């Protein structure tokens, strides 16, 4: 691990622990992140994005164990989807727990992705909690495909900008699949 990588990791974790917002490269697009268990931090993300808080945000976890700590019952099918997909895939689960209330959708679901990007995995594992991941744009504006396309409002609105390039740039958001505990599967975004 390079010194730059370690320093960026430490700075980002410090900001997250203090309820701040970070701008960071994810396994899809540049994201705005915060502590997914901190209601005030989540509120800051909605405010920055100028987004209503009834539009749920995605949450990143580092591994299966963290996923299981924050979802009442992970359907077996979820593990098959996670193992088989080649593109980053977010799954919407029923009955989340241990996250900020304003992160949970009105139908008591939460969109979660196990991060595949090295920086995201290290960050989550060092922080030891799920992190919000939402595209770095004002709600309704196009999703920036790279750091240069991120608006000044977003750049000035976060507490820290991670100074690393993404490992691989997918330049598109993740696929989203809704898995209900009654066995229903619905593709929300391919």
């Amino acid at each position: 691990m390079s010194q730059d990588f370690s320093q960026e990791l430490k700075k980002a974790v410090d900001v997250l622990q203090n309820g701040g917002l970070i701008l960071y490269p994810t396994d899809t697009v540049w994201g705005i992140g915060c502590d997914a268990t901190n209601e005030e931090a989540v509120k800051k993300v909605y405010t920055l994005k100028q987004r209503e808080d009834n539009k749920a945000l995605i949450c990143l976890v580092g591994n299966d164990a963290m996923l299981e700590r924050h979802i009442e019952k992970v359907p077996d099918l979820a593990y098959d989807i996670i193992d088989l997909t080649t593109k980053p895939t977010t799954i919407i689960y029923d009955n989340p727990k241990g996250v900020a209330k304003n992160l949970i959708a009105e139908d008591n679901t939460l969109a979660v992705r196990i991060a595949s990007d090295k920086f995201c995995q290290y960050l989550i594992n060092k922080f030891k909690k799920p992190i919000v991941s939402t595209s770095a744009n004002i709600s309704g504006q196009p999703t920036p495909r790279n750091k240069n396309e991120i608006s000044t409002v977003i750049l000035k609105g976060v507490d820290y900008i991670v100074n690393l390039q993404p490992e691989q740039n997918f330049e598109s958001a993740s696929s989203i699949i809704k898995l209900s505990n009654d066995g229903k599967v619905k593709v929300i975004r391919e």
Side-chain angles (χ1 to χ4, degrees), residues 26-179:
T26 73
D27 44 6
T28 55
V29 294
W30 275 82
I32 300 168
C34 73
D35 177 350
T37 67
N38 180 332
E39 219 167 305
E40 285 303 310
V42 172
K43 199 182 290 180
K44 288 181 195 172
V45 174
Y46 285 119
T47 302
L48 178 59
K49 283 185 67 84
Q50 299 168 25
R51 183 174 178 168
E52 295 170 38
D53 64 7
N54 62 356
K55 288 196 170 179
L57 301 170
I58 291 172
C59 183
L60 293 182
V61 295
N63 50 44
D64 291 353
M66 189 179 282
L67 172 66
E68 289 159 6
R69 275 200 301 278
H70 293 282
I71 300 296
E72 203 170 273
K73 184 184 184 319
V74 178
D76 290 341
L77 179 59
Y79 299 108
D80 293 337
I81 292 170
I82 292 163
D83 290 344
L84 298 172
T85 53
T86 52
K87 179 183 177 192
T89 301
T90 301
I91 300 176
I92 300 173
Y93 297 95
D94 289 336
N95 307 322
K97 59 184 185 177
V99 294
K101 286 188 196 75
N102 54 349
L103 196 57
I104 300 170
E106 288 174 348
D107 62 354
N108 195 31
T109 59
L110 180 64
V112 183
R113 183 167 75 248
I114 295 178
S116 57
D117 173 82
K118 185 170 88 172
F119 178 76
C120 288
Q121 284 188 327
Y122 273 91
L123 179 64
I124 295 161
N125 291 330
K126 194 168 173 66
F127 185 54
K128 296 184 176 58
K129 287 191 253 182
I131 297 173
V132 164
S133 176
T134 182
S135 56
N137 60 326
I138 303 295
S139 201
Q141 300 288 315
T143 300
R145 291 188 309 276
N146 57 53
K147 201 172 177 181
N148 301 334
E149 292 180 6
I150 299 170
S151 79
T152 313
V153 174
I154 298 290
L155 294 171
K156 288 184 173 168
V158 297
D159 300 294
Y160 186 67
I161 300 169
V162 173
N163 191 19
L164 292 172
Q165 286 307 312
E167 268 182 5
Q168 51 197 12
N169 212 339
F170 283 92
E171 293 192 353
S172 67
S174 67
S175 301
I176 299 179
I177 297 171
K178 184 170 185 169
L179 279 189

Side-chain angles (χ1 to χ4, degrees), residues 15-34:
V15 170
L16 292 171
Q17 286 172 335
N18 290 306
L21 304 187
I22 61 169
L23 185 64
Y24 66 115
T26 73
D27 44 6
T28 55
V29 294
W30 275 82
I32 300 168
C34 73

